[in-house]
């Protein structure tokens, strides 16, 4: 399978997992790890900025229109597109360090969440207040740190196993 | 090596597209040209969410059973005690037929308020990033659900429908920071506005109630029902919302506000009802549960049929009684 379809499959699975399972978990703090964002960041880390930002755009667009969502279409697409691009630029990290990729994913969660909130503030979303952002932003980073090993491991495994376009990536995990 | 000029051009185009969509959707509001896209999302993902919910619900119930076990134990003890007391009462007074009718009417809120309700189940919770208090339910346009319909459960008001797909719809909970509901105080009939604080699914699920009349009395324990919107959409009148928990002291404010504990527990939502047909007239306080007392005495407030005055419309009735029952009760009613 090529990278495009594989990335699409990974994103689709992440999206379904997010909406049907993870969002229903009664986790402390009232928010849940953003698996879609983490999947986009992982796909970008493995495949580079081009694949990352396209995957991010479409993943975000899908997350914008999946039923319980009730914000302007495009907000999440914008945030995840940027996340995909930035993580794609950090592509080399995967080969050179075993811990840094998790930091990149946590940073992606921080950046993505902040960008999403910022866009909301820009168009005057009443949900985005200092209080709500101050509550959600740190928690989302913590949850990203907890969830990132699983997401990164699964995504790199999937690409190593099924990707036929490139020689094997050497991933140290 | 990947980061060529082409990549940057495409990045720019994608970001521009996303930004354009935000603007179009935001400006368009309800009639946004992108609502078709949302409909597509509901059509594609709705059934998948329904299926996934059917699979995960037993797991979730099992988890709730386990995590709620200690609480359940103490609850069982309380309930057993209460059962004993009730049994004693029953032995003493006997269960006459009118009381039984009253009880069953209390249990069936919708029957009491004469709402026409489509039953629904919650299938997916919470919108993106934890900012939104939204919910997907498993009924849609196929069952006659339209946008801006009231959603309630056996305890009280849950929210309103914001988007409808063929087999699912999205509910904006009253705890969402973007939600505002017209409400009135029980008894004094003072009108106000209930707005969410965005914490329905986390932390304290309190909502804010603002009285329009800053001189009206407001004290903890006051109960609040929905006021009803024009043409009964999005909110039908008379649905219980919650109990005033504490009055906020904001000197110099033009309106009085209080934090309200909703009757509905938003973290455990399961079976809900969508009001597809509103009542013929405002049921007022007739739908509120009996006043909370340690021993449930059934004969307190409920006199259905007596309260709604004939011919009264759900629109603001010109003159609300300006001085509700006097007695400035203690510390809660602040100076001004």
């Amino acid at each position: 399978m090529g990278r495009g379809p594989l990335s699409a499959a990974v994103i689709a699975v992440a999206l379904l997992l997010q909406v049907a399972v993870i969002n229903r978990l009664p986790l402390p703090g009232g928010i849940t790890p953003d698996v879609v964002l983490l999947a986009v960041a992982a796909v970008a880390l493995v495949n580079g900025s081009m694949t990352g930002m396209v995957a991010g755009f479409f993943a975000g667009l899908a997350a914008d229109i999946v039923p319980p969502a009730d914000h302007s279409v495009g907000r999440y697409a914008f945030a995840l597109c940027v996340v995909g691009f930035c993580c794609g630029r950090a592509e080399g990290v995967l080969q050179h360090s075993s811990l840094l990729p998790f930091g990149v994913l946590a940073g992606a969660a921080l950046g993505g969440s902040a960008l999403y909130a910022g866009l909301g503030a820009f168009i005057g979303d009443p949900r985005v207040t200092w209080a709500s952002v101050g509550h959600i932003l740190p928690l989302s980073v913590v949850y990203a740190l907890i969830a990132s090993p699983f997401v990164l491991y699964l995504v790199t495994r999937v690409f190593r196993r099924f990707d036929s376009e490139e020689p094997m990536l050497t991933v140290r995990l | 090596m990947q980061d060529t000029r082409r990549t940057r051009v495409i990045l720019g185009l994608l970001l521009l597209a996303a930004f354009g969509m935000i603007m179009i959707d935001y400006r368009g509001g309800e009639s946004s040209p992108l609502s078709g896209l949302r409909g597509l999302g509901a059509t594609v993902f709705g059934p998948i969410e329904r299926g996934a919910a059917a699979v995960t619900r037993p797991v979730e119930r099992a988890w709730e059973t386990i995590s709620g076990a200690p609480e359940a134990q103490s609850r069982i003890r309380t309930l057993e005690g209460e059962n004993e007391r009730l049994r004693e009462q029953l032995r003493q007074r006997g269960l006459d037929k009118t009381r039984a009718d009253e009880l069953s009417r209390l249990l069936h809120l919708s029957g009491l308020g004469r709402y026409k309700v489509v039953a629904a189940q919650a299938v997916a919770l919470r919108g993106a990033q934890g900012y939104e208090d939204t919910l997907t339910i498993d009924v849609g346009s196929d069952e006659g659900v339209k946008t801006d319909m009231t959603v309630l459960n056996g305890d009280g008001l849950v929210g309103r429908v914001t988007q409808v797909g063929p087999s699912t719809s999205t509910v904006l909970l009253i705890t969402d920071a973007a939600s505002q509901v017209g409400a009135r105080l029980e008894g004094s009939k003072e009108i106000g506005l209930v707005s969410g604080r965005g914490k329905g699914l986390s932390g304290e699920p309190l909502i804010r109630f603002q009285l329009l009349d800053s001189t009206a009395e407001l004290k903890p324990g006051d109960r609040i029902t929905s006021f009803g919107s024009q043409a009964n959409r999005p909110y039908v009148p008379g649905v219980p919302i919650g109990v005033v928990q504490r009055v906020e002291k904001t000197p110099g404010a033009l309106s009085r506000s209080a934090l309200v504990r909703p009757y509905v527990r938003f973290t455990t939502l399961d079976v809900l009802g969508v009001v597809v047909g509103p009542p013929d007239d405002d049921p007022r306080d007739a739908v509120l549960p009996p006043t909370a007392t340690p021993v449930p005495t059934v004969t307190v407030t409920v006199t259905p049929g007596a309260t709604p005055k004939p011919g009264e419309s759900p629109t603001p009735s010109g003159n609300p009684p300006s001085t509700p029952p006097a007695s400035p009760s203690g510390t809660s009613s602040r100076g001004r």
Side-chain angles (χ1 to χ4, degrees):
Chain A
M1 231 195 296
R3 280 179 174 189
L6 209 49
S7 306
V10 167
I11 299 298
V13 169
L15 199 63
L16 287 180
L17 209 65
Q18 179 83 45
V19 173
V21 182
I22 293 176
N23 277 356
R24 297 177 72 94
L25 296 176
L27 294 178
I31 78 161
T32 49
D34 193 339
V35 177
V36 177
L37 185 146
L38 293 177
V40 166
V43 165
L45 271 183
V46 176
N47 293 315
S49 50
M50 185 65 164
T51 316
M53 72 193 186
V54 175
F57 179 80
F58 286 105
L61 195 57
D64 278 330
I65 61 169
V66 159
D70 191 52
H71 52 261
S72 307
V73 171
R75 253 170 89 178
Y76 218 37
F78 191 99
L80 287 194
C81 188
V82 174
V83 164
F85 178 75
C86 294
C87 289
R89 299 206 60 177
E91 198 182 7
V93 160
L94 223 45
Q95 276 92 332
H96 297 126
S97 164
S98 52
L99 275 181
L100 208 54
F102 305 126
V104 171
L105 256 62
L110 179 69
S113 190
L115 201 54
Y116 177 84
L119 281 169
F122 181 69
I123 59 169
D125 187 343
R127 292 153 181 147
V128 179
T129 58
W130 285 116
S132 65
V133 173
H135 171 77
I136 289 170
L137 219 52
L139 269 177
S140 64
V141 173
V142 171
Y143 279 129
L145 274 174
I146 296 171
S148 58
F150 303 101
V151 176
L152 199 56
Y153 175 74
L154 285 175
V155 171
T156 48
R157 275 296 293 268
V158 164
F159 275 95
R160 229 186 316 182
R161 177 99 197 251
F162 298 108
D163 192 356
S164 51
E165 278 183 18
E166 290 255 319
M168 297 295 93
L169 289 160
T170 44
V171 180
R172 287 195 281 150
L173 269 172
Chain B
M1 31 113 202
Q2 285 260 348
D3 189 18
T4 57
R5 208 172 141 202
R6 186 164 145 262
T7 316
R8 289 192 185 175
V9 168
I10 293 176
L11 175 72
L13 285 178
L14 286 178
L15 290 186
L16 210 61
F19 198 71
M21 277 193 287
I22 297 174
M23 283 302 133
I24 290 170
D25 199 37
Y26 177 65
R27 289 280 166 207
E30 293 287 310
S31 58
S32 147
L34 291 175
S35 61
L37 211 56
R38 278 215 183 83
L40 178 76
T43 315
V44 174
F45 289 100
I48 301 174
E49 280 181 12
R50 284 180 63 150
V55 176
T56 53
R57 190 168 291 128
V59 182
E60 216 168 274
R61 290 241 170 90
W63 169 252
E64 264 170 28
T65 313
I66 296 166
S67 65
E71 194 189 332
Q73 284 294 338
S74 69
R75 207 172 134 75
I76 286 171
R77 270 194 293 280
T78 337
L79 287 176
E80 272 172 351
E82 202 174 300
N83 258 346
E84 271 315 302
R85 272 204 307 278
L86 287 174
R87 236 178 244 135
E88 188 60 34
Q89 279 188 354
L90 278 186
R91 265 198 292 277
Q92 283 171 2
R93 298 184 202 174
L95 181 69
D96 54 77
K97 192 170 180 319
T98 52
R99 184 165 299 144
D101 286 349
E102 235 161 18
L103 262 174
S104 73
R105 257 178 290 164
L106 268 179
L107 289 172
H108 302 293
L109 182 73
S110 60
L112 197 61
R114 294 181 296 279
Y115 309 119
K116 290 183 203 71
V117 169
V118 169
Q121 223 160 13
V123 293
L125 203 62
R126 200 185 281 121
Q129 291 272 354
Y131 286 101
E132 294 163 22
D133 286 357
T134 51
L135 185 76
T136 312
I137 54 175
D138 66 347
V139 293
S141 52
D142 291 351
E143 284 83 6
V145 175
K146 300 192 186 77
T147 53
D148 282 344
M149 280 180 165
T150 312
V151 181
L152 42 77
N153 73 357
D155 300 323
L157 186 65
V158 173
R160 67 182 165 95
V161 177
T162 53
Q163 281 145 36
V164 180
S167 62
T168 54
S169 19
T170 301
V171 177
L172 184 73
L173 305 182
I174 55 170
T175 55
D176 189 284
S179 157
Q180 295 201 314
V181 189
R184 67 161 82 237
L185 274 177
E186 178 200 17
S188 75
K189 307 269 185 275
E190 286 288 345
I191 297 162
L193 200 63
V194 166
S195 44
R197 295 164 72 235
K199 288 181 182 166
L201 306 173
S202 64
E204 273 192 318
L206 296 181
I207 49 184
R208 179 166 284 120
F209 176 63
Q210 265 187 318
L211 268 179
L212 296 187
D213 182 359
S214 60
T215 59
E217 191 169 342
L218 185 63
K219 59 181 187 303
D222 281 355
R223 303 189 295 172
I224 292 169
T225 65
S226 69
F227 171 62
S229 322
Q230 197 164 22
N232 291 314
R233 302 257 294 267
Y235 295 107
V236 295
V239 186
I241 295 178
V243 184
V244 173
Q245 178 131 338
R246 57 177 188 271
V247 178
E248 287 188 316
K249 293 183 169 52
T250 43
L254 285 175
S255 56
R256 309 196 61 180
S257 68
L259 292 180
V260 172
R261 176 165 296 279
Y263 286 122
V264 177
R265 281 188 67 193
F266 290 95
T267 44
T268 57
L269 284 176
D270 195 9
V271 178
L272 310 162
V274 182
V275 180
V276 291
D280 295 332
D281 56 12
D282 185 352
R284 296 298 167 93
D285 304 336
V287 192
L288 279 170
T291 331
T293 46
V295 183
T297 44
V298 196
T299 43
V300 266
T301 47
V302 188
T303 45
T307 354
K309 290 175 214 151
E312 202 149 34
S313 66
T315 47
S317 49
N319 45 348
S322 51
T323 15
S327 81
S329 53
T331 52
S332 59
S333 57
R334 61 193 166 84
R336 70 203 79 254

